Amino acid sequence: MSSTQFDGDIDSFVSYLKSNRGLSANTLKAYRADLTACLHLFELRGVTDLNEITLDDLRSWMAVESRDHARSSMARKTVAVRGFFAWTYEHGLTTTDPAATLMTPSIPSTLPAVLTESQAEQLLDVAEHAVATNQYKDDGGAAAASVSGSGKAADKSADTVHRSEAPARADKRDNARVTAESQRNAAILELLYATGIRVAELVSMDIADIDFSNRTIKVTGKGNKQRVVPFGLPAQRALETWLEQGRPVLARTATDAVKSRAANALFLGARGGRIDQRIARDIVHRAAREAGVPDISPHVLRHSAATHILDGGADLREVQEMLGHSSLKTTQRYTHVSIEQLKNRYGQAFPRA
């Protein structure tokens, strides 16, 4: 990221947002990058004072940026710039607010992609089957090795037995790790679909955030806002299997430093640290391929959960609370998906459609 002579002003603005607006770390990072890129462009054009920037300059900046960025990205960039200049004006850093009438690009309304209920069921069934298959291999492989070894022990020297033990132990560790990862993956998929939480919320969860007695989780969402979300029996079973059997296996692979940092983490990566968003996304993409359903992201599971809950008769306000939407308008998008699906089913099933 390029630095500018206005970095101090940008830092102060971001600090103000962090203290007063409760924005997420990702949003603050994006705003900082947007403002740095914008002001760097003006700096290249010879601007040395924020008061020199006019509305026409900002429109010129938007024209340049819009060549390489989608409308959704431009909308965020515009919000960042408008907020920044409103702040500089309020705090006496500029004598006017050149961005006051800067228009935010309109974003075309698109319906979120969702899985059908049968596709979601297939996705979760395949993940559950993978757990059962790996557990069978793990237990069966160990038993087979034991039977084979006992039958031939009399014909082997002590040296040969000792040499064969190390690879056998390594194979067993590998089998245990693969089983643990499949248990983790199944729990992640079940929880994402059961609760509709965001992937960032998933990876930041701690074990203490789960209340098995009430079958709820405590979720820390955007702006550090907390909410309580229920989950069903299949998710409970998957979480219990992961916590009781899989998590201890992956936790043992961690170094002491990693182990201390991830001691409370709900989900772990292959090396025993807290799982990151990239790995969680890969798990969902890979599971979709293996299940033969459309390639999806964790956010599509969120969309699917919301749509299926509404289809089941849930109240719109309840779904808004569950998803952590600040605006009911955002949640209403899912009613449009349900209506579209209803129209499709109607067209397929009704003879006079």
Side-chain angles (χ1 to χ4, degrees):
M1 186 188 300
S2 302
S3 60
T4 76
Q5 61 181 321
F6 305 113
D7 281 354
D9 297 325
I10 295 173
D11 290 341
S12 298
F13 174 62
V14 171
S15 296
Y16 165 80
L17 292 178
K18 185 176 182 180
S19 302
N20 295 277
R21 296 280 300 279
L23 299 180
S24 70
N26 286 339
T27 300
L28 293 175
K29 182 179 179 181
Y31 279 13
R32 182 190 294 277
D34 295 338
L35 291 169
T36 300
C38 175
L39 296 178
H40 178 63
L41 176 65
F42 292 137
E43 195 174 50
L44 292 175
R45 294 177 177 178
V47 172
T48 58
D49 188 325
L50 291 174
N51 283 295
E52 299 175 28
I53 299 173
T54 66
L55 177 59
D56 286 339
D57 290 329
L58 293 173
R59 286 172 174 163
S60 172
W61 159 75
M62 286 185 66
V64 172
E65 289 287 308
S66 61
R67 296 172 190 164
D68 302 314
H69 295 91
R71 283 193 174 191
S72 56
S73 296
M74 287 307 303
R76 187 203 65 226
K77 291 174 182 290
T78 306
V79 168
V81 169
R82 282 172 53 183
F84 174 73
F85 280 103
W87 175 83
T88 61
Y89 178 61
E90 290 171 5
H91 289 76
L93 299 177
T94 55
T95 56
T96 61
D97 179 1
T101 58
L102 191 67
M103 298 297 292
T104 304
S106 60
I107 303 174
S109 179
T110 56
L111 296 179
V114 297
L115 295 177
T116 65
E117 290 184 35
S118 61
Q119 287 171 336
E121 192 80 17
Q122 184 175 341
L123 177 74
L124 300 174
D125 284 348
V126 170
E128 185 179 354
H129 179 70
V131 173
T133 301
N134 286 323
Q135 282 178 327
Y136 173 78
K137 287 179 181 177
D138 195 5
D139 297 340
S146 175
V147 171
S148 174
S150 61
K152 298 179 181 179
D155 299 328
K156 290 186 176 180
S157 67
D159 288 342
T160 305
V161 171
H162 287 308
R163 281 198 301 271
S164 67
E165 284 176 353
R169 284 196 300 269
D171 288 345
K172 191 171 183 179
R173 284 196 299 270
D174 287 343
N175 289 338
R177 179 183 56 76
V178 169
T179 299
E181 288 181 357
S182 66
Q183 290 165 339
R184 176 202 63 193
N185 298 351
I188 284 175
L189 291 165
E190 287 282 3
L191 194 61
L192 284 172
Y193 180 62
T195 61
I197 59 175
R198 302 175 179 94
V199 68
E201 296 167 344
L202 175 96
V203 300
S204 65
M205 283 186 65
D206 291 333
I207 298 172
D209 292 330
I210 305 177
D211 183 350
F212 283 110
S213 62
N214 291 319
R215 216 182 284 161
T216 58
I217 56 171
K218 182 176 69 178
V219 183
T220 303
K222 291 183 176 180
N224 287 324
K225 293 178 183 177
Q226 291 191 334
R227 64 188 189 277
V228 175
V229 182
F231 59 86
L233 187 58
Q236 177 181 345
R237 290 179 183 140
L239 284 167
E240 286 175 339
T241 300
W242 156 245
L243 289 173
E244 293 169 9
Q245 302 176 25
R247 191 183 185 283
V249 173
L250 295 188
R252 285 197 293 270
T253 66
T255 62
D256 290 340
V258 170
K259 193 175 293 185
S260 64
R261 290 197 301 271
N264 302 318
L266 175 58
F267 291 111
L268 304 178
R271 296 181 180 178
R274 183 183 291 273
I275 199 170
D276 61 33
Q277 292 189 40
R278 181 182 62 81
I279 298 299
R281 289 192 181 94
D282 286 346
I283 287 168
V284 175
H285 286 300
R286 188 167 63 249
R289 286 196 302 272
E290 291 172 355
V293 302
D295 186 25
I296 58 168
S297 65
H299 218 67
V300 171
L301 275 182
R302 175 175 166 86
H303 295 327
S304 302
T307 303
H308 299 164
I309 290 168
L310 284 169
D311 284 345
D315 180 76
L316 195 62
R317 289 282 182 187
E318 295 169 345
V319 177
Q320 177 191 10
E321 177 67 22
M322 170 182 162
L323 297 179
H325 286 157
S326 57
S327 169
L328 189 64
K329 184 179 179 181
T330 308
T331 316
Q332 284 174 328
R333 299 167 66 207
Y334 300 111
T335 64
H336 300 315
V337 176
S338 297
I339 291 168
E340 286 299 314
Q341 290 182 341
L342 174 61
K343 285 164 64 179
N344 290 336
R345 289 197 293 269
Y346 181 87
Q348 292 168 3
F350 193 58
R352 295 179 68 85

